Amino acid sequence: MSRLLDVKDLEVSFQTYGGEVKAVRGVNFHLDKGETLAIVGESGSGKSVTSQTIMRLIPMPPGRINKGQILFDGIDLVKKTDKQMEAIRGKDIGMIFQDPMTSLNPTMKVGSQIAEVLVKHSKMSKTQAKERAIELLKLVGIPFPNQRVNQYPHEFSGGMRQRVVIAMALASDPKLLIADEPTTALDVTIQAQILELMKDIQKKTNTSIIFITHDLGVVANVADRVAVMYAGQIVETGTVDEVFYNPQHPYTWGLLASMPSLDSDTKEELAAIPGTPPDLTNPPKGDAFAPRNPYAMKIDFEQEPPMFQVSDTHYAKTWLLHPDAPKVEPPASVTSRMRPVKGAYTKPVLSRKDGE
């Protein structure tokens, strides 16, 4: 597969009254054409800032890209001006936001809002754009698209509005689609439909997708690879099977342990990660997760761990993978989900790798 996106050593901060918030701290990852990458983590971990930085949507100031590259089809988006980015947003990179009502203009018919994107980026006539809008509404599963194209957002349910937002994002056939928690505001049944829709659309269009979420369970059947973020850094990355069935970082263990399982006793309490994320105006020395990590060692409070290689595609940023570290077993709620992953091995990676 050919590389579409390569994010290298990205650092983003925001100047606030309380000081400089180091929101993204040395993030590395890549995305191939036709692939889905899920970025997972708690609120405040840096997921949305990372995705919005790719689109160059963070306000500058107070936001600032301190370091790094965002190579999209070989072009560094960090070096693009706002005017140049206007030609890329919507055309080459589409974005689906969390709340569809904030993405749609309540005073405009949905067909006009989709057509507006097509007229601007695809240079279609208004008649051609309306015909294409009807096709897109049909693609995203809106019934009676010929009639619905002339309706306003308030005449659609929440799930249908999100489908309209997806249609807008797909209007110009973007190479990359960024979905920032697109199902959070929806009920479970509609959430499943939207996830299934995105999978189906990707098969039809071969669009690459970055899926942002705080819920590991949401990405299990959607993503090809997963990157787990904590305190502005990627702490584990691998294929879905590797992260779900052979997790290596204690933070990933905590996320998995907090997921309900149909196999467990219904009276069993869900696990919770103790404590709160660190204050990123003054990031902690060593491993940022150490104060919340029941398996933390002395070195975790003194020195930041490198990214350790578990397999060709699996990396984790924890001192527990050092050859001299004591052997620690994950909690029972996690080991019950784990299974051997063929060819797994562990060695430290000192050079730059995805997720470092």
Side-chain angles (χ1 to χ4, degrees):
M1 298 177 84
S2 55
R3 188 69 50 90
L4 177 67
L5 180 73
D6 203 357
V7 176
K8 298 182 178 182
D9 203 21
L10 184 65
E11 294 184 4
V12 182
S13 65
F14 293 87
Q15 198 64 46
T16 70
Y17 290 114
E20 185 182 18
V21 177
K22 299 174 176 65
V24 176
R25 305 187 298 138
V27 162
N28 295 281
F29 65 86
H30 75 268
L31 182 70
D32 291 330
K33 292 180 180 177
E35 183 182 40
T36 298
L37 171 71
I39 302 179
V40 184
E42 290 171 284
S43 295
S45 61
K47 311 181 303 297
S48 292
V49 172
T50 300
S51 65
Q52 289 172 20
T53 303
I54 294 170
M55 291 283 283
R56 293 286 306 280
L57 288 175
I58 61 168
M60 300 173 68
R64 185 173 65 184
I65 300 173
N66 298 316
K67 187 181 176 184
Q69 293 179 299
I70 302 170
L71 299 177
F72 176 72
D73 249 0
I75 300 168
D76 190 358
L77 300 185
V78 172
K79 296 179 180 178
K80 292 291 181 182
T81 64
D82 287 341
K83 189 71 177 175
Q84 289 171 327
M85 283 303 301
E86 285 179 12
I88 294 172
R89 294 189 203 107
K91 184 176 187 297
D92 295 317
I93 307 176
M95 193 160 190
I96 305 167
F97 293 96
Q98 184 171 331
D99 184 358
M101 276 310 284
T102 61
S103 304
L104 297 171
N105 186 334
T107 66
M108 285 180 67
K109 295 175 182 178
V110 297
S112 299
Q113 295 188 56
I114 298 171
E116 190 176 50
V117 178
L118 293 163
V119 170
K120 180 177 181 180
H121 292 297
S122 301
K123 309 300 181 187
M124 290 184 180
S125 68
K126 290 185 178 180
T127 302
Q128 290 172 322
K130 185 173 181 180
E131 290 174 358
R132 177 60 178 155
I134 293 170
E135 291 175 7
L136 286 163
L137 290 178
K138 185 177 180 180
L139 175 68
V140 297
I142 300 282
F144 311 110
N146 289 287
Q147 290 78 41
R148 302 288 264 177
V149 75
N150 294 314
Q151 293 182 327
Y152 292 91
H154 72 268
E155 298 179 84
F156 290 72
S157 67
M160 287 296 180
R161 284 194 291 262
Q162 193 62 294
R163 289 171 185 262
V164 173
V165 172
I166 293 171
M168 288 176 64
L170 293 170
S172 294
D173 297 319
K175 299 174 184 177
L176 171 62
L177 187 63
I178 300 175
D180 190 358
E181 307 220 28
T183 61
T184 300
L186 307 174
D187 64 56
V188 176
T189 304
I190 304 302
Q191 186 181 91
Q193 291 176 8
I194 295 297
L195 293 173
E196 194 60 38
L197 169 66
M198 292 186 69
K199 282 175 62 179
D200 186 52
I201 286 172
Q202 187 180 42
K203 287 179 184 176
K204 292 177 179 177
T205 63
N206 201 39
T207 303
S208 300
I209 297 176
I210 295 177
F211 197 98
I212 310 292
T213 181
H214 62 271
D215 185 353
L216 263 174
V218 164
V219 304
N221 296 314
V222 176
D224 300 302
R225 290 187 297 114
V226 179
V228 180
M229 279 195 80
Y230 182 76
Q233 297 179 321
I234 290 178
V235 297
E236 184 161 4
T237 182
T239 65
V240 168
D241 277 0
E242 287 169 334
V243 173
F244 270 81
Y245 300 117
N246 190 32
Q248 299 295 319
H249 198 284
Y251 179 60
T252 311
W253 296 348
L255 292 178
L256 287 168
S258 65
M259 285 171 52
S261 172
L262 294 176
D263 298 327
S264 64
D265 186 344
T266 54
K267 295 180 181 178
E268 182 183 337
E269 289 187 10
L270 287 177
I273 302 173
T276 57
D279 179 3
L280 292 183
T281 56
N282 185 26
K285 185 181 178 182
D287 187 345
F289 188 61
R292 306 175 70 188
N293 181 7
Y295 313 98
M297 300 172 287
K298 184 179 179 181
I299 192 173
D300 285 301
F301 295 93
E302 298 174 348
Q303 189 175 339
E304 185 177 318
M307 191 64 85
F308 286 83
Q309 185 173 358
V310 182
S311 76
D312 289 342
T313 53
H314 191 186
Y315 301 86
K317 193 180 182 73
T318 172
W319 284 117
L320 289 176
L321 291 177
H322 192 279
D324 296 334
K327 180 68 176 173
V328 174
E329 292 294 332
S333 55
V334 177
T335 54
S336 63
R337 304 168 188 265
M338 293 172 67
R339 68 187 183 198
V341 176
K342 197 173 182 182
Y345 64 98
T346 304
K347 67 178 182 181
V349 176
L350 300 179
S351 59
R352 183 260 170 187
K353 290 286 183 181
D354 281 336
E356 186 181 344

